[in-house]
Amino acid sequence: METMTLPKRTLLSTALLSTTLCSAAMAVNANAAEANPNDLLNATLWMQNSVEYKANVQGMFQLATMRAEAGLHDKNWSALPAMQPEGFGQLPPAIIVDCDETMLDNNVYEAYLIKSGKGYSSKTWSQYVQDKVTGAMPGAVEFANYAQKKGITIFYVTNRKKENEQATLENMKALGFPMTGAKDVLLTKGEKPDWTSNKTTRDQFVAAHYRVILMLGDNLGDFTDASGTPKERLATYKANQAHWGKDWIMMPNPEYGSFESAAFGGNWSLSTEQRRAEKISALKAWQPKS
Ligand SMILES: [Mg+2]
């Protein structure tokens, strides 16, 4: 419409319009400059807004329910056989789950990182946790309630810190997770001196008294402390083929995790650009012939 009326305008108004258009173009460029490329964008858009992600996660909880049912009735079944004591078949059943991006959905925090142009920090993360606005993953509350109905105790082995345990507990109760018993089932990092970010000690704590029928996580470290380089991770993945989809259930998480840090040797002191360059160089690419 503006373009069609242009010839009728006086020289002065045309000049004014050009100035306005020019300013508008500059503003667009300024906005584009502000919107730095962020590796989180597509992952967060997918996890927060797509039905594909929701359907995928819900499918994983359906699988988990079927596998829990099978594991419940087979007293020889354990997701952590090497950690169980003799006669573990007599122990009460339990499931070990991770919290973040397994049972809990933190996509509003990830979206905050994108919109603010900031990187993850334990300070903003703790502020976010204390706000108690974390959501539940699709199907997670239903799965937790199913387990409770079946007499299966779910232990939440999370790397949220001890200082954030109370806020997390209140948040989870408000979401409908059945965490009302007297027993502490939310096992946070630092709650005991040997409960570090490696989860094995907490898994052992559970496996000593319960038959662990399932493990659920979104990161290799939720299942085993063996992580390391991409090559070592691949070897660990292959060595545990019998577990995947049977008694170890992995949720998708393209936002963050050891898959990312392994690409730059876990060296978080590198700049964002350096880390990005390492990630790009980790990719195997097809090359056109001409
Ligand atoms: Mg997680």
Side-chain angles (χ1 to χ4, degrees):
M1 292 289 272
E2 282 296 330
T3 311
M4 285 171 74
T5 57
L6 261 179
K8 295 175 188 168
R9 290 178 184 275
T10 62
L11 219 65
L12 181 63
S13 64
T14 307
L16 276 173
L17 182 68
S18 309
T19 311
T20 313
L21 287 173
C22 198
S23 306
M26 283 171 70
V28 168
N29 285 340
N31 288 341
E34 279 166 23
N36 289 324
N38 190 314
D39 293 353
L40 270 176
L41 179 58
N42 254 14
T44 303
L45 188 67
W46 186 63
M47 291 172 78
Q48 189 175 69
N49 294 4
S50 83
V51 294
E52 288 81 0
Y53 174 72
K54 289 176 178 60
N56 193 317
V57 169
Q58 208 162 341
M60 288 296 109
F61 281 116
Q62 288 297 323
L63 175 64
T65 307
M66 290 162 66
R67 303 314 289 174
E69 204 65 39
L72 196 56
H73 297 106
D74 178 355
K75 300 284 183 193
N76 294 316
W77 177 302
S78 172
L80 291 172
M83 285 188 198
Q84 304 265 223
E86 217 172 300
F88 70 85
Q90 303 309 311
L91 297 175
I95 293 175
I96 295 178
V97 300
D98 165 60
C99 281
D100 297 316
E101 274 55 66
T102 297
M103 304 299 275
L104 301 179
D105 170 349
N106 301 294
N107 278 297
V108 291
Y109 178 76
E110 302 300 323
Y112 152 76
L113 296 181
I114 294 166
K115 294 206 175 197
S116 66
K118 290 181 177 154
Y120 168 89
S121 82
S122 54
K123 188 185 165 200
T124 58
W125 171 255
S126 284
Q127 282 176 329
Y128 157 77
V129 170
Q130 291 295 331
D131 253 1
K132 296 179 262 186
V133 292
T134 296
M137 296 275 281
V141 172
E142 293 80 356
F143 179 70
N145 280 291
Y146 152 80
Q148 194 195 37
K149 210 166 69 189
K150 291 283 178 169
I152 305 168
T153 306
I154 294 192
F155 285 92
Y156 299 81
V157 175
T158 175
N159 280 346
R160 288 191 175 200
K161 292 181 197 158
K162 179 179 74 169
E163 298 77 36
N164 286 328
E165 178 161 341
Q166 192 54 34
T168 301
L169 194 62
E170 287 169 18
N171 195 157
M172 290 180 74
K173 280 181 184 173
L175 288 169
F177 287 99
M179 310 180 81
T180 48
K183 189 166 46 206
D184 178 14
V185 292
L186 184 56
L187 313 184
T188 50
K189 183 168 82 173
E191 203 178 326
K192 292 192 176 186
D194 65 338
W195 289 5
T196 61
S197 48
N198 283 345
K199 294 184 167 181
T200 292
T201 48
R202 282 174 279 172
D203 294 342
Q204 286 166 337
F205 174 82
V206 176
H209 305 287
Y210 291 84
R211 182 166 66 89
V212 181
I213 57 177
L214 276 187
M215 308 270 290
L216 270 74
D218 68 300
N219 195 27
L220 191 57
D222 296 327
F223 303 89
T224 164
D225 286 350
S227 195
T229 65
K231 210 174 152 188
E232 288 164 340
R233 286 164 49 77
L234 192 61
T236 303
Y237 159 75
K238 285 181 178 169
N240 289 291
Q241 281 299 312
H243 286 295
W244 304 120
K246 179 180 178 267
D247 47 26
W248 291 8
I249 295 180
M250 185 75 86
M251 299 292 180
N253 181 2
E255 279 177 337
Y256 64 88
S258 50
F259 82 91
E260 184 191 13
S261 51
F264 50 84
N267 186 1
W268 286 99
S269 66
L270 295 176
S271 69
T272 309
E273 292 72 23
Q274 287 170 321
R275 279 184 265 135
R276 192 148 215 271
E278 291 291 318
K279 286 191 275 184
I280 292 170
S281 72
L283 296 174
K284 296 177 201 79
W286 168 79
Q287 285 294 332
K289 290 189 180 72
S290 56

